Amino acid sequence: MTQDLRIDAARLWATLTETAQYGAIAGPAPDRPGLCRLTLSDEDVAMRRWFAQACQAIGMTVTTDRIGTQYARLPGSDAALPPIAIGSHLDTQPTGGRFDGILGVLAGLEVARTVQASGTTTRHPIEIINWTNEEGARFAPAMVASGVFAGVFTLDYALAQTDRDGVTMGEALAQSGFAGDETPGGHALAAHFELHIEQGPVLEAEALEIGVVSGVQGIRWFDVVVKGQTCHAGTTPMALRRDALHAAARLAIAVDDIGRSDPGASLATIGLFQAYPGSRNTAPGEVRMTVDLRHPNVGGLDQLEAKLRNAMSALQSQLRVGMTLNLIWSSPPVSFDPGVLGAISAATQRLGYSHRAMLSGAGHDSVYTARVAPTGMIFIPCENGLSHNVAENITPADAERGANVLLQAVLDYDRGQIPANAG
Ligand code: GLV
Ligand code: MN
Ligand code: MN
């Protein structure tokens, strides 16, 4: 009876622990490393090889597309059906944790191992997907490979994106050996399920075990360049300066105010801030920075962007500097599929786990798969709501619950038992 099937919690935890060697950096304790596994780095390549081998070891077929996304497929009984996908990412932030994205892919592997070991054959193939460059930490934008899969970006656009050393994603892919020959988006998905840590404080604060993720808030990413004039630190009177760093610092304060302007909804972040030429006795003539704006609805995002533009024009005239704002990525708010959410809710309830519906603050590959396939996400709590931090942490019991919901929801969906309930 497939409703009695459960994942092997010890095996899942061992997999998470073993693979944390790929890109391990100092964390809060020796047995709790952080991770730096930037897309297509040597560490990412080692993790990708491990993942492919582990999937092949249980008889899965592993293919790679032209943007490096890996697809590991367990066959179903009906060859005419497209696969039910379980996808997330194995890349991390530069000082990231062991679970963001990684849990989703490795729980997918655990689901495949469980199904395969039980002798169960699903109707649809089950496909575990490792989407390339979800984080956007090495190459912007984030979620670029799932975006190419969904037709939001062209492959050429994605491959031309450069990292901070000027290396293109195409070059990094060629060097990694993970430039495959499959066309991204070249095969249909029956559905896309993603298990992820919440990366925020809500489930923990409410002592709930599972989040049924109804959708994802909107995101806009900007590059900002502030141009003033470099000048001598010892000879230029303050009144004569056009200090780009001073103007950028004032803008940074304005961005923080914008993030607080619609409490509970608006968020604004400067993640990157670089002053040039970078010399102790020269006032900087140029600053490059990034701005990340988020809001659950498009109107709210429009307002945040308008506030940003207003703050910039006021500072430009006041401080006699130039400021340019370049929108490099816009990810509108997304609502997930009622059928997939219904399967997730039903599995959660059957397993007896406490739960609530919630919106995701973080972007995920599911944002883009939602454009081409019925999609839904499952959240589990994470310690102190902390993520994009080496101290990111979850409990083995939470990982087990999330993976069991994933397993049962996928099996229900495969059998067509999909109550239309987004709760
Ligand atoms: C993507 O991972 C984001 O939310 O920044
Ligand atoms: Mn993630
Ligand atoms: Mn992340």
Side-chain angles (χ1 to χ4, degrees):
M1 180 70 181
T2 54
Q3 287 205 349
D4 297 330
L5 213 54
R6 298 289 180 269
I7 61 102
D8 181 333
R11 182 172 57 191
L12 171 59
W13 196 254
T15 302
L16 287 163
T17 305
E18 180 193 340
T19 57
Q21 69 181 289
Y22 302 117
I25 55 174
D31 63 339
R32 285 183 50 190
L35 283 188
C36 177
R37 194 191 289 153
L38 294 176
T39 293
L40 302 171
S41 62
D42 291 348
E43 296 77 18
D44 187 38
V45 164
M47 180 68 231
R48 286 163 165 270
R49 289 201 182 116
W50 184 97
F51 173 65
Q53 279 163 12
C55 294
Q56 282 157 349
I58 58 164
M60 300 178 91
T61 309
V62 182
T63 58
T64 308
D65 73 13
R66 292 171 65 198
I67 195 163
T69 296
Q70 294 173 288
Y71 308 88
R73 193 181 279 220
L74 198 63
S77 60
D78 186 343
L81 292 177
I84 295 178
I86 300 174
S88 203
H89 59 98
L90 293 170
D91 67 322
T92 75
Q93 291 286 318
T95 56
R98 290 174 292 153
F99 305 102
D100 171 2
I102 297 160
L103 175 69
V105 179
L106 297 183
L109 171 61
E110 178 55 39
V111 165
R113 284 171 164 169
T114 302
V115 169
Q116 197 261 2
S118 72
T120 306
T121 306
T122 51
R123 290 168 55 230
H124 302 76
I126 294 180
E127 187 166 84
I128 316 306
I129 306 183
N130 170 30
W131 298 105
T132 298
N133 193 61
E134 188 277 346
E135 290 289 2
R138 181 171 178 193
F139 301 101
M143 298 132 56
V144 72
S146 47
V148 173
F149 187 94
V152 177
F153 310 116
T154 65
L155 179 63
D156 287 346
Y157 163 83
L159 297 183
Q161 299 310 300
T162 52
D163 68 10
R164 273 187 256 168
D165 298 324
V167 178
T168 67
M169 198 164 162
E171 288 162 351
L173 262 175
Q175 209 200 347
S176 73
F178 278 91
D181 47 22
E182 203 171 305
T183 301
H187 70 276
L189 305 179
H192 185 265
F193 288 78
E194 184 167 4
L195 169 65
H196 208 282
I197 60 170
E198 180 202 330
Q199 305 182 274
V202 175
L203 291 174
E204 185 181 60
E206 297 182 7
L208 294 173
E209 293 165 325
I210 294 291
V212 180
V213 186
S214 56
V216 180
Q217 70 177 343
I219 310 172
R220 288 185 196 168
W221 278 8
F222 302 89
D223 282 345
V224 175
V225 180
V226 181
K227 282 206 164 135
Q229 188 177 49
T230 56
C231 66
H232 197 293
T235 59
T236 318
M238 298 307 283
L240 293 187
R241 296 189 184 198
R242 293 168 52 225
D243 182 334
L245 181 56
H246 170 232
R250 298 272 295 269
L251 182 60
I253 290 166
V255 167
D256 191 74
D257 289 343
I258 290 166
R260 294 169 199 276
S261 62
D262 186 357
S266 57
L267 297 159
T269 306
I270 295 174
L272 199 73
F273 192 100
Q274 287 170 317
Y276 301 92
S279 170
R280 206 181 276 269
N281 51 353
T282 298
E286 182 168 319
V287 169
R288 290 170 186 255
M289 57 204 264
T290 60
V291 178
D292 172 318
L293 298 180
R294 304 201 186 201
H295 197 282
N297 60 62
V298 172
L301 271 175
D302 287 343
Q303 281 182 13
L304 300 184
E305 183 174 337
K307 285 181 179 147
L308 177 61
R309 290 185 186 278
N310 287 342
M312 287 174 65
S313 43
L315 288 169
Q316 283 186 84
S317 43
Q318 202 184 331
L319 301 175
R320 296 179 300 118
V321 294
M323 288 187 177
T324 56
L325 183 71
N326 185 18
L327 176 70
I328 64 145
W329 182 44
S330 174
S331 176
V334 171
S335 296
F336 288 141
D337 179 73
V340 174
L341 295 182
I344 292 170
S345 292
T348 304
Q349 283 167 32
R350 205 165 61 233
L351 288 158
Y353 301 150
S354 57
H355 59 96
R356 59 165 282 171
M358 60 195 303
L359 198 66
S360 172
H364 298 286
D365 293 304
S366 287
V367 164
Y368 286 140
T369 65
R371 297 194 183 210
V372 291
T375 291
M377 292 187 71
I378 305 156
F379 275 175
I380 59 163
C382 62
E383 195 176 289
N384 300 322
L386 199 58
S387 185
H388 287 192
N389 186 306
V390 292
E392 181 182 280
N393 200 25
I394 61 173
T395 67
D398 282 322
E400 176 180 10
R401 282 187 278 267
N404 272 326
V405 172
L406 180 66
L407 168 71
Q408 284 296 318
V410 165
L411 292 175
D412 281 2
Y413 201 88
D414 176 60
R415 287 189 300 268
Q417 289 168 356
I418 42 171
N421 154 24

